Every structure is written in structure tokens, then in C-alpha cells.
Amino acid sequence: MRNPLGRNPVSLRGRRAAVLATGLSATLVLTACGGGGGSSSGSGGSAGASAAPSGDQPTVGLITKTDTNPFFVKMKEGATAEAQKQGVQLQSFAGKQDGDNESQVQAIENLISAGAKGFLITANDSKAIVPSLDKAKQAGMLVIALDTPVDPADAADATFATYNFQAGQLIGQWAKAKLGANAAQAKIAMLDLSANGVSVDVQRDQGFLTGFGIDVADKNTIGDESDPRISGHALTQGAEDGGRTAMETLLQKDPSINLVYTINEPAAAGAYAALQAAGKQNDVTIVSVDGGCPGVAAVKAGQIGATSQQYPLKMAQEGVAAVAQFAKDGTKPETTAGKTFTDTGVNLITDQPQTGVESKDTTFGQQNCWG
């Protein structure tokens, strides 16, 4: 899902506030549950019509950040198929871009009014959405976070997600192993998501740095580390054009960058385009998170060195099944053993395996990708 510049934490926070102040407005989208497809992150939105709920079918909601990013398209596909299997009515909502909390608030209000039994949500703002989640729970609804944990996590009844810290940690470990002795001289560009402090954004960023062996200071804060190997952080909104602009800005600041972390693969595509335009694409390693089919293809082509693959179809399927079960007998889902959420899995995808870092090749990645 994910982007102001600079390593100085005061400056970073100031610039993030400026970005936020521009207003990330988006339109609310309600689409028919029988429609086509509807991820870790993206932009765009479209309008649609809602199918009228069947009188004897429980209503389940799906609220994603957008309905155009392939990650969320696959999530909607999984939710739609599982809703048909479970005999429930799906109502899906999405906004134009990441960061649009207000549309998600309105979507929850609509679901409460519709008497929905519960909903799945990928939160645009992990903290700001909590009062609406509380209201839904007071109305007797089951609230399930998908992909993006809310803050506090127990504001949702359950979370079905990738272990995003691990996803970041895997690409950090891989990058450190690939650079070998040169890791001590790395110059790292951090292409993050947004100014909202979304948990996915924070966890992937901090996981990558931890995997690379960099002290993150406060693990809940992006940009407060002091390691000189970090050339800077920039925001991408999880989009290709944002990734290109962010990469161009950081290259102007430090032309010696040789390693790029990106919040997701659309941002990675933009970063690669900027590097290619600067004639630096062969001198810089890019790592990312998502595992979408275009991203896996970029790994195979050598544009991305490694990516952590996650599974949005599985998240949505399990989430809808959980709400359907709750509607039947009030049972709430259990967490994965040893974790506070339901872990839907992650695999490192690369054709350049490194000793001590477990990975799968792009053949596996292509067999399990989405988008």
C-alpha cells in the first residue's frame, strides 16, 4: 500500500503533515456483489450500483482502499466467490485512493443501516477508523481487518493478514545477503506509502530495516533512525507515478543510492522507470512487497531483485467465511497459534537466492500471483 523526504524526524513529520493537509478526498463506491474483481496498496476508484440484498441472506461488507489496484481486485474476487459459496450477500465499497478515511467511515454507516452481520476492511487510517469500528461492534457486527491491522488491533474482532513485518524483514535480509561486504556502504532509498502512519506502511518499512541490520529506534515510527546508510524517505501513495517522483527526488538528493526499498510493486515500477531514465538501473537493487503477477514478472526480468508475496484472495475468502459463520451461530474466528492475528502467509520470491534466506523462485511466484 505506500510517501516527504529526509532522514531528520522533525523535518519528516513536518513534510508528512503538509502532504496530509492537501486532503486525500475520494469517492465512495458501492458495487454489486456479482460483479468482476474489486491491494498491499494502490489508487483509483469507480462508481457502481448495489445489488438489492436477498431477504434471507445475511449481508457482509467489503471495504477496500481502492477498487483498481490489483491487490484489492483480487481481494474482491475472493470475497465475491466465497460469498456465493456461503450463501451471503456481499456489498463492496472503495474510494479513489489510499488515505481516504472518510469514505470508509461512510461505508460503515451504510452497512450499519443495511443491518449487515459484519464486514471486512483494509483501513486507510488505522487509528482514525477506530470510532467507526466501535460503533459497528456496538451494533452487533463482526469487524474483520484485512491486510492492514487497525490501531489498537483489538478494535477489530479479528485480523486476516500477511505478517507485514516479516514481509519487510525477508527482503531486508535478502538485500543484506546480496550486498555482502558492501552492505556496510549501502545507500538506501526508502519509498514508503503515505503520511497517515498506516500499520502496513510502518511494519514493512521497519521490518526491512531490521532485516538489513539497521537500528530502527522507535519501531512504531518511520524516519526516526539515524543510520547514515539511509539516504532518505519519500512518499509514493503506493502508485507507480508516486514511486517515480519519489525516486527522482531522492536521486537528486543522493545520486549514490544503490538499494531501494519500496512499499509495494507499483511504487517499485515507478522507481525502476526513474532509475532507467537516469541510466542507473543496472547499478541499483530494488526490493518490494506484494507478489502480484506484474511484480513477479519484474523479478523475473531483473528489474526487482526480490519481493515478498502475499495472498489477498485467501485473506478475503477466510474473512467472508468467518462473517458467515458468525451470522449462523455467533462464533468468532480464532488467531494463528502464537500470533495475535490470522496469518495468511508470505513467501520471498527471487531468482537470486541467498544463503540463509528462505525463498521461492519466480516459477512458484507466477503460479501463485494475482493481478
Side-chain angles (χ1 to χ4, degrees), residues 74-97:
K74 182 58 66 173
M75 192 173 275
K76 183 177 177 183
E77 179 185 319
T80 300
E82 190 65 24
Q84 293 172 347
K85 177 182 175 181
Q86 296 288 340
V88 298
Q89 181 78 20
L90 182 71
Q91 291 189 3
S92 59
F93 302 79
K96 281 186 176 180
Q97 62 189 27

Side-chain angles (χ1 to χ4, degrees), residues 63-120:
I63 307 171
T64 56
K65 297 176 183 179
T66 76
D67 67 351
T68 57
N69 185 292
F71 187 88
F72 298 126
V73 171
K74 182 58 66 173
M75 192 173 275
K76 183 177 177 183
E77 179 185 319
T80 300
E82 190 65 24
Q84 293 172 347
K85 177 182 175 181
Q86 296 288 340
V88 298
Q89 181 78 20
L90 182 71
Q91 291 189 3
S92 59
F93 302 79
K96 281 186 176 180
Q97 62 189 27
D98 278 294
D100 177 19
N101 182 65
E102 289 306 310
S103 287
Q104 295 195 323
V105 169
Q106 186 58 55
I108 293 171
E109 292 290 341
N110 288 1
L111 287 167
I112 292 173
S113 297
K117 294 298 184 181
F119 59 86
L120 326 175

Side-chain angles (χ1 to χ4, degrees), residues 168-186 188 207-215 227 229 258-260 285 287 306 348 352 354-357:
Q169 190 172 32
L170 284 170
I171 54 175
Q173 291 169 341
W174 179 88
K176 182 178 181 180
K178 185 177 186 298
L179 291 181
N182 294 324
Q185 286 76 48
I188 307 170
F208 166 79
L209 293 174
T210 299
F212 198 80
I214 289 176
D215 182 1
D227 196 300
R229 289 175 290 180
N258 58 10
L259 176 60
V260 180
T285 297
V287 294
L348 181 70
Q352 304 173 58
Q354 301 297 319
T355 302
V357 185

Side-chain angles (χ1 to χ4, degrees), residues 7 184 186 188 213-215 224-231:
R7 198 163 58 247
I188 307 170
I214 289 176
D215 182 1
D224 65 343
E225 59 280 332
S226 59
D227 196 300
R229 289 175 290 180
I230 299 177
S231 297

Side-chain angles (χ1 to χ4, degrees), residues 239-241 243-244 262 264-276 286 288 294 298 303-304:
E240 184 170 345
D241 57 348
R244 179 163 188 159
T262 64
N264 65 2
E265 290 159 0
Y272 181 81
L275 291 167
Q276 190 173 42
I286 300 175
S288 195
Q303 297 173 359
I304 297 175

Side-chain angles (χ1 to χ4, degrees), residues 1-4 15-28 42-44 65-66 94-104 124-125 193-198 201 235-238:
M1 124 158 90
R2 281 121 184 269
N3 299 274
R15 289 189 177 110
R16 286 186 172 183
V19 172
L20 188 58
T22 61
L24 299 176
S25 60
T27 59
L28 180 66
S43 61
K65 297 176 183 179
T66 76
K96 281 186 176 180
Q97 62 189 27
D98 278 294
D100 177 19
N101 182 65
E102 289 306 310
S103 287
Q104 295 195 323
N124 270 317
D125 190 316
L193 177 64
S194 71
N196 289 358
V198 178
D201 195 12
L235 304 181
T236 67
Q237 303 304 326

